[in-house]
Amino acid sequence: MTCDNVIKANIIKGHLNNEGIEAFTTNENFSNLMPHYNRILNSGVQIMILDTDYDKASEILKLNVKEEQVCPNCQSKNIKFSLGKNKFRKIFVIIFSLLTTTPFNNLKSVYKCKDCQTEF
């Protein structure tokens, strides 16, 4: 599992250790020193466990349960994943970053309701 920050990773690691699953974290220093590279090429703080403990850990953390998104405004389940209001600006930043080989920071994606157009 990969987390965006060290605090969240250590909370999850502690939870797994309390349940009897030996876990350790990697990539903490790089994630702290270069936070703009998080979410690029799956970088971030990684939580490592044994293959034999995977089923138990995924049950504890409920990794296989996909939460169905619901619009907070109209309670619709007709939801799509979007870049948000500044879509063209974000696409320009991504293209510029790729051309200049610089990180493009954390561009957050949002969910958008197809019925009432609410972003959340």
Side-chain angles (χ1 to χ4, degrees), residues 33-57:
L33 293 173
M34 303 285 217
H36 352 293
Y37 284 100
N38 287 351
R39 298 184 191 178
I40 300 173
L41 298 175
N42 202 23
S43 64
V45 183
Q46 298 167 342
I47 303 169
M48 309 297 274
I49 61 171
L50 295 173
D51 288 337
T52 56
D53 292 333
Y54 178 78
D55 292 331
K56 185 177 177 185

PDB file of all heavy atoms in Angstrom, residues 33-57:
ATOM      1  N   LEU A  33      11.392  14.674   1.745  1.00  0.00           N
ATOM      2  CA  LEU A  33      12.251  15.668   1.116  1.00  0.00           C
ATOM      3  C   LEU A  33      11.690  16.201  -0.198  1.00  0.00           C
ATOM      4  O   LEU A  33      11.908  17.343  -0.554  1.00  0.00           O
ATOM      5  CB  LEU A  33      13.640  15.071   0.863  1.00  0.00           C
ATOM      6  CG  LEU A  33      14.443  14.748   2.120  1.00  0.00           C
ATOM      7  CD1 LEU A  33      15.709  14.005   1.752  1.00  0.00           C
ATOM      8  CD2 LEU A  33      14.773  16.024   2.879  1.00  0.00           C
ATOM      9  N   MET A  34      10.977  15.342  -0.947  1.00  0.00           N
ATOM     10  CA  MET A  34      10.434  15.722  -2.246  1.00  0.00           C
ATOM     11  C   MET A  34       8.934  15.437  -2.301  1.00  0.00           C
ATOM     12  O   MET A  34       8.493  14.525  -2.998  1.00  0.00           O
ATOM     13  CB  MET A  34      11.137  14.934  -3.353  1.00  0.00           C
ATOM     14  CG  MET A  34      12.607  15.114  -3.372  1.00  0.00           C
ATOM     15  SD  MET A  34      12.985  16.711  -4.037  1.00  0.00           S
ATOM     16  CE  MET A  34      14.431  16.349  -4.960  1.00  0.00           C
ATOM     17  N   PRO A  35       8.121  16.196  -1.577  1.00  0.00           N
ATOM     18  CA  PRO A  35       6.691  15.890  -1.543  1.00  0.00           C
ATOM     19  C   PRO A  35       5.986  16.110  -2.874  1.00  0.00           C
ATOM     20  O   PRO A  35       4.929  15.548  -3.114  1.00  0.00           O
ATOM     21  CB  PRO A  35       6.142  16.833  -0.475  1.00  0.00           C
ATOM     22  CG  PRO A  35       7.134  17.925  -0.380  1.00  0.00           C
ATOM     23  CD  PRO A  35       8.464  17.330  -0.740  1.00  0.00           C
ATOM     24  N   HIS A  36       6.579  16.901  -3.810  1.00  0.00           N
ATOM     25  CA  HIS A  36       5.921  17.127  -5.100  1.00  0.00           C
ATOM     26  C   HIS A  36       5.911  15.866  -5.947  1.00  0.00           C
ATOM     27  O   HIS A  36       5.152  15.775  -6.889  1.00  0.00           O
ATOM     28  CB  HIS A  36       6.571  18.231  -5.928  1.00  0.00           C
ATOM     29  CG  HIS A  36       7.612  19.024  -5.254  1.00  0.00           C
ATOM     30  ND1 HIS A  36       7.337  19.857  -4.208  1.00  0.00           N
ATOM     31  CD2 HIS A  36       8.938  19.113  -5.446  1.00  0.00           C
ATOM     32  CE1 HIS A  36       8.451  20.446  -3.818  1.00  0.00           C
ATOM     33  NE2 HIS A  36       9.425  20.002  -4.542  1.00  0.00           N
ATOM     34  N   TYR A  37       6.803  14.914  -5.658  1.00  0.00           N
ATOM     35  CA  TYR A  37       6.856  13.693  -6.454  1.00  0.00           C
ATOM     36  C   TYR A  37       5.856  12.642  -5.985  1.00  0.00           C
ATOM     37  O   TYR A  37       5.739  11.601  -6.614  1.00  0.00           O
ATOM     38  CB  TYR A  37       8.268  13.104  -6.437  1.00  0.00           C
ATOM     39  CG  TYR A  37       9.220  13.862  -7.319  1.00  0.00           C
ATOM     40  CD1 TYR A  37      10.104  14.778  -6.784  1.00  0.00           C
ATOM     41  CD2 TYR A  37       9.217  13.671  -8.694  1.00  0.00           C
ATOM     42  CE1 TYR A  37      10.972  15.479  -7.589  1.00  0.00           C
ATOM     43  CE2 TYR A  37      10.077  14.371  -9.507  1.00  0.00           C
ATOM     44  CZ  TYR A  37      10.956  15.268  -8.951  1.00  0.00           C
ATOM     45  OH  TYR A  37      11.806  15.967  -9.751  1.00  0.00           O
ATOM     46  N   ASN A  38       5.157  12.890  -4.877  1.00  0.00           N
ATOM     47  CA  ASN A  38       4.124  11.946  -4.456  1.00  0.00           C
ATOM     48  C   ASN A  38       3.053  11.865  -5.529  1.00  0.00           C
ATOM     49  O   ASN A  38       2.720  12.854  -6.161  1.00  0.00           O
ATOM     50  CB  ASN A  38       3.498  12.372  -3.130  1.00  0.00           C
ATOM     51  CG  ASN A  38       4.437  12.135  -1.975  1.00  0.00           C
ATOM     52  OD1 ASN A  38       5.485  11.518  -2.124  1.00  0.00           O
ATOM     53  ND2 ASN A  38       4.083  12.630  -0.813  1.00  0.00           N
ATOM     54  N   ARG A  39       2.511  10.700  -5.738  1.00  0.00           N
ATOM     55  CA  ARG A  39       1.505  10.379  -6.754  1.00  0.00           C
ATOM     56  C   ARG A  39       2.083  10.299  -8.160  1.00  0.00           C
ATOM     57  O   ARG A  39       1.370  10.097  -9.114  1.00  0.00           O
ATOM     58  CB  ARG A  39       0.345  11.368  -6.751  1.00  0.00           C
ATOM     59  CG  ARG A  39      -0.418  11.369  -5.465  1.00  0.00           C
ATOM     60  CD  ARG A  39      -1.584  12.281  -5.584  1.00  0.00           C
ATOM     61  NE  ARG A  39      -2.172  12.490  -4.268  1.00  0.00           N
ATOM     62  CZ  ARG A  39      -3.187  13.264  -4.055  1.00  0.00           C
ATOM     63  NH1 ARG A  39      -3.740  13.910  -5.044  1.00  0.00           N
ATOM     64  NH2 ARG A  39      -3.666  13.397  -2.855  1.00  0.00           N
ATOM     65  N   ILE A  40       3.360  10.517  -8.334  1.00  0.00           N
ATOM     66  CA  ILE A  40       3.981  10.367  -9.648  1.00  0.00           C
ATOM     67  C   ILE A  40       4.699   9.028  -9.650  1.00  0.00           C
ATOM     68  O   ILE A  40       5.537   8.755  -8.803  1.00  0.00           O
ATOM     69  CB  ILE A  40       4.991  11.498  -9.934  1.00  0.00           C
ATOM     70  CG1 ILE A  40       4.308  12.852  -9.891  1.00  0.00           C
ATOM     71  CG2 ILE A  40       5.676  11.275 -11.280  1.00  0.00           C
ATOM     72  CD1 ILE A  40       5.253  14.017  -9.992  1.00  0.00           C
ATOM     73  N   LEU A  41       4.367   8.186 -10.583  1.00  0.00           N
ATOM     74  CA  LEU A  41       4.978   6.856 -10.711  1.00  0.00           C
ATOM     75  C   LEU A  41       4.864   6.056  -9.421  1.00  0.00           C
ATOM     76  O   LEU A  41       5.793   5.375  -9.011  1.00  0.00           O
ATOM     77  CB  LEU A  41       6.441   6.975 -11.138  1.00  0.00           C
ATOM     78  CG  LEU A  41       6.681   7.636 -12.490  1.00  0.00           C
ATOM     79  CD1 LEU A  41       8.164   7.801 -12.740  1.00  0.00           C
ATOM     80  CD2 LEU A  41       6.050   6.815 -13.593  1.00  0.00           C
ATOM     81  N   ASN A  42       3.731   6.181  -8.750  1.00  0.00           N
ATOM     82  CA  ASN A  42       3.427   5.416  -7.539  1.00  0.00           C
ATOM     83  C   ASN A  42       4.414   5.684  -6.416  1.00  0.00           C
ATOM     84  O   ASN A  42       4.716   4.810  -5.633  1.00  0.00           O
ATOM     85  CB  ASN A  42       3.349   3.914  -7.854  1.00  0.00           C
ATOM     86  CG  ASN A  42       2.545   3.167  -6.819  1.00  0.00           C
ATOM     87  OD1 ASN A  42       1.726   3.763  -6.133  1.00  0.00           O
ATOM     88  ND2 ASN A  42       2.773   1.883  -6.708  1.00  0.00           N
ATOM     89  N   SER A  43       4.960   6.893  -6.347  1.00  0.00           N
ATOM     90  CA  SER A  43       5.866   7.201  -5.248  1.00  0.00           C
ATOM     91  C   SER A  43       5.045   7.631  -4.039  1.00  0.00           C
ATOM     92  O   SER A  43       3.880   7.969  -4.138  1.00  0.00           O
ATOM     93  CB  SER A  43       6.837   8.305  -5.651  1.00  0.00           C
ATOM     94  OG  SER A  43       6.137   9.495  -5.890  1.00  0.00           O
ATOM     95  N   GLY A  44       5.659   7.620  -2.919  1.00  0.00           N
ATOM     96  CA  GLY A  44       5.023   7.919  -1.654  1.00  0.00           C
ATOM     97  C   GLY A  44       5.571   6.949  -0.622  1.00  0.00           C
ATOM     98  O   GLY A  44       6.456   6.143  -0.915  1.00  0.00           O
ATOM     99  N   VAL A  45       5.073   7.006   0.580  1.00  0.00           N
ATOM    100  CA  VAL A  45       5.514   6.091   1.631  1.00  0.00           C
ATOM    101  C   VAL A  45       4.821   4.749   1.413  1.00  0.00           C
ATOM    102  O   VAL A  45       3.601   4.681   1.346  1.00  0.00           O
ATOM    103  CB  VAL A  45       5.197   6.648   3.028  1.00  0.00           C
ATOM    104  CG1 VAL A  45       5.721   5.723   4.092  1.00  0.00           C
ATOM    105  CG2 VAL A  45       5.771   8.040   3.191  1.00  0.00           C
ATOM    106  N   GLN A  46       5.616   3.706   1.281  1.00  0.00           N
ATOM    107  CA  GLN A  46       5.066   2.388   0.989  1.00  0.00           C
ATOM    108  C   GLN A  46       5.072   1.526   2.246  1.00  0.00           C
ATOM    109  O   GLN A  46       6.042   1.500   2.986  1.00  0.00           O
ATOM    110  CB  GLN A  46       5.867   1.719  -0.116  1.00  0.00           C
ATOM    111  CG  GLN A  46       5.789   2.502  -1.400  1.00  0.00           C
ATOM    112  CD  GLN A  46       6.796   2.053  -2.419  1.00  0.00           C
ATOM    113  OE1 GLN A  46       7.761   1.393  -2.099  1.00  0.00           O
ATOM    114  NE2 GLN A  46       6.557   2.432  -3.664  1.00  0.00           N
ATOM    115  N   ILE A  47       3.973   0.813   2.465  1.00  0.00           N
ATOM    116  CA  ILE A  47       3.843  -0.109   3.592  1.00  0.00           C
ATOM    117  C   ILE A  47       4.022  -1.511   3.041  1.00  0.00           C
ATOM    118  O   ILE A  47       3.295  -1.929   2.145  1.00  0.00           O
ATOM    119  CB  ILE A  47       2.476   0.035   4.276  1.00  0.00           C
ATOM    120  CG1 ILE A  47       2.284   1.483   4.731  1.00  0.00           C
ATOM    121  CG2 ILE A  47       2.363  -0.925   5.450  1.00  0.00           C
ATOM    122  CD1 ILE A  47       0.890   1.800   5.166  1.00  0.00           C
ATOM    123  N   MET A  48       4.996  -2.217   3.574  1.00  0.00           N
ATOM    124  CA  MET A  48       5.334  -3.544   3.077  1.00  0.00           C
ATOM    125  C   MET A  48       4.941  -4.604   4.112  1.00  0.00           C
ATOM    126  O   MET A  48       5.145  -4.409   5.312  1.00  0.00           O
ATOM    127  CB  MET A  48       6.838  -3.639   2.806  1.00  0.00           C
ATOM    128  CG  MET A  48       7.376  -2.512   1.949  1.00  0.00           C
ATOM    129  SD  MET A  48       6.696  -2.488   0.323  1.00  0.00           S
ATOM    130  CE  MET A  48       7.772  -3.611  -0.482  1.00  0.00           C
ATOM    131  N   ILE A  49       4.371  -5.722   3.623  1.00  0.00           N
ATOM    132  CA  ILE A  49       4.031  -6.869   4.467  1.00  0.00           C
ATOM    133  C   ILE A  49       4.424  -8.139   3.730  1.00  0.00           C
ATOM    134  O   ILE A  49       4.757  -8.107   2.541  1.00  0.00           O
ATOM    135  CB  ILE A  49       2.525  -6.904   4.809  1.00  0.00           C
ATOM    136  CG1 ILE A  49       1.685  -7.022   3.538  1.00  0.00           C
ATOM    137  CG2 ILE A  49       2.119  -5.704   5.636  1.00  0.00           C
ATOM    138  CD1 ILE A  49       0.228  -7.284   3.781  1.00  0.00           C
ATOM    139  N   LEU A  50       4.364  -9.253   4.413  1.00  0.00           N
ATOM    140  CA  LEU A  50       4.628 -10.539   3.777  1.00  0.00           C
ATOM    141  C   LEU A  50       3.459 -10.938   2.881  1.00  0.00           C
ATOM    142  O   LEU A  50       2.307 -10.577   3.151  1.00  0.00           O
ATOM    143  CB  LEU A  50       4.837 -11.620   4.835  1.00  0.00           C
ATOM    144  CG  LEU A  50       6.072 -11.471   5.728  1.00  0.00           C
ATOM    145  CD1 LEU A  50       6.042 -12.510   6.832  1.00  0.00           C
ATOM    146  CD2 LEU A  50       7.338 -11.604   4.900  1.00  0.00           C
ATOM    147  N   ASP A  51       3.757 -11.679   1.816  1.00  0.00           N
ATOM    148  CA  ASP A  51       2.700 -12.145   0.913  1.00  0.00           C
ATOM    149  C   ASP A  51       1.670 -12.996   1.639  1.00  0.00           C
ATOM    150  O   ASP A  51       0.482 -12.957   1.315  1.00  0.00           O
ATOM    151  CB  ASP A  51       3.287 -12.955  -0.244  1.00  0.00           C
ATOM    152  CG  ASP A  51       4.035 -12.084  -1.239  1.00  0.00           C
ATOM    153  OD1 ASP A  51       3.750 -10.873  -1.292  1.00  0.00           O
ATOM    154  OD2 ASP A  51       4.885 -12.617  -1.958  1.00  0.00           O
ATOM    155  N   THR A  52       2.125 -13.755   2.617  1.00  0.00           N
ATOM    156  CA  THR A  52       1.210 -14.647   3.334  1.00  0.00           C
ATOM    157  C   THR A  52       0.212 -13.880   4.199  1.00  0.00           C
ATOM    158  O   THR A  52      -0.837 -14.415   4.544  1.00  0.00           O
ATOM    159  CB  THR A  52       2.005 -15.627   4.217  1.00  0.00           C
ATOM    160  OG1 THR A  52       2.854 -14.877   5.095  1.00  0.00           O
ATOM    161  CG2 THR A  52       2.844 -16.565   3.364  1.00  0.00           C
ATOM    162  N   ASP A  53       0.526 -12.639   4.543  1.00  0.00           N
ATOM    163  CA  ASP A  53      -0.361 -11.819   5.371  1.00  0.00           C
ATOM    164  C   ASP A  53      -1.282 -10.911   4.562  1.00  0.00           C
ATOM    165  O   ASP A  53      -2.060 -10.151   5.130  1.00  0.00           O
ATOM    166  CB  ASP A  53       0.460 -10.940   6.328  1.00  0.00           C
ATOM    167  CG  ASP A  53       1.184 -11.758   7.377  1.00  0.00           C
ATOM    168  OD1 ASP A  53       0.693 -12.848   7.707  1.00  0.00           O
ATOM    169  OD2 ASP A  53       2.240 -11.293   7.855  1.00  0.00           O
ATOM    170  N   TYR A  54      -1.214 -10.992   3.234  1.00  0.00           N
ATOM    171  CA  TYR A  54      -1.966 -10.058   2.394  1.00  0.00           C
ATOM    172  C   TYR A  54      -3.475 -10.158   2.611  1.00  0.00           C
ATOM    173  O   TYR A  54      -4.152  -9.146   2.753  1.00  0.00           O
ATOM    174  CB  TYR A  54      -1.628 -10.265   0.915  1.00  0.00           C
ATOM    175  CG  TYR A  54      -2.424  -9.347   0.020  1.00  0.00           C
ATOM    176  CD1 TYR A  54      -2.062  -8.011  -0.125  1.00  0.00           C
ATOM    177  CD2 TYR A  54      -3.554  -9.797  -0.651  1.00  0.00           C
ATOM    178  CE1 TYR A  54      -2.795  -7.156  -0.913  1.00  0.00           C
ATOM    179  CE2 TYR A  54      -4.294  -8.945  -1.451  1.00  0.00           C
ATOM    180  CZ  TYR A  54      -3.913  -7.627  -1.580  1.00  0.00           C
ATOM    181  OH  TYR A  54      -4.642  -6.784  -2.356  1.00  0.00           O
ATOM    182  N   ASP A  55      -4.015 -11.373   2.622  1.00  0.00           N
ATOM    183  CA  ASP A  55      -5.465 -11.532   2.767  1.00  0.00           C
ATOM    184  C   ASP A  55      -5.959 -10.982   4.102  1.00  0.00           C
ATOM    185  O   ASP A  55      -6.982 -10.292   4.163  1.00  0.00           O
ATOM    186  CB  ASP A  55      -5.861 -13.001   2.620  1.00  0.00           C
ATOM    187  CG  ASP A  55      -5.657 -13.513   1.200  1.00  0.00           C
ATOM    188  OD1 ASP A  55      -5.758 -12.694   0.262  1.00  0.00           O
ATOM    189  OD2 ASP A  55      -5.386 -14.713   1.040  1.00  0.00           O
ATOM    190  N   LYS A  56      -5.213 -11.281   5.165  1.00  0.00           N
ATOM    191  CA  LYS A  56      -5.601 -10.796   6.491  1.00  0.00           C
ATOM    192  C   LYS A  56      -5.500  -9.267   6.555  1.00  0.00           C
ATOM    193  O   LYS A  56      -6.391  -8.604   7.087  1.00  0.00           O
ATOM    194  CB  LYS A  56      -4.716 -11.435   7.557  1.00  0.00           C
ATOM    195  CG  LYS A  56      -5.108 -11.083   8.965  1.00  0.00           C
ATOM    196  CD  LYS A  56      -4.242 -11.796   9.977  1.00  0.00           C
ATOM    197  CE  LYS A  56      -4.604 -11.376  11.388  1.00  0.00           C
ATOM    198  NZ  LYS A  56      -3.703 -11.959  12.382  1.00  0.00           N
ATOM    199  N   ALA A  57      -4.445  -8.711   5.961  1.00  0.00           N
ATOM    200  CA  ALA A  57      -4.260  -7.253   5.981  1.00  0.00           C
ATOM    201  C   ALA A  57      -5.328  -6.554   5.158  1.00  0.00           C
ATOM    202  O   ALA A  57      -5.857  -5.520   5.566  1.00  0.00           O
ATOM    203  CB  ALA A  57      -2.874  -6.896   5.457  1.00  0.00           C
TER     204      ALA A  57
END
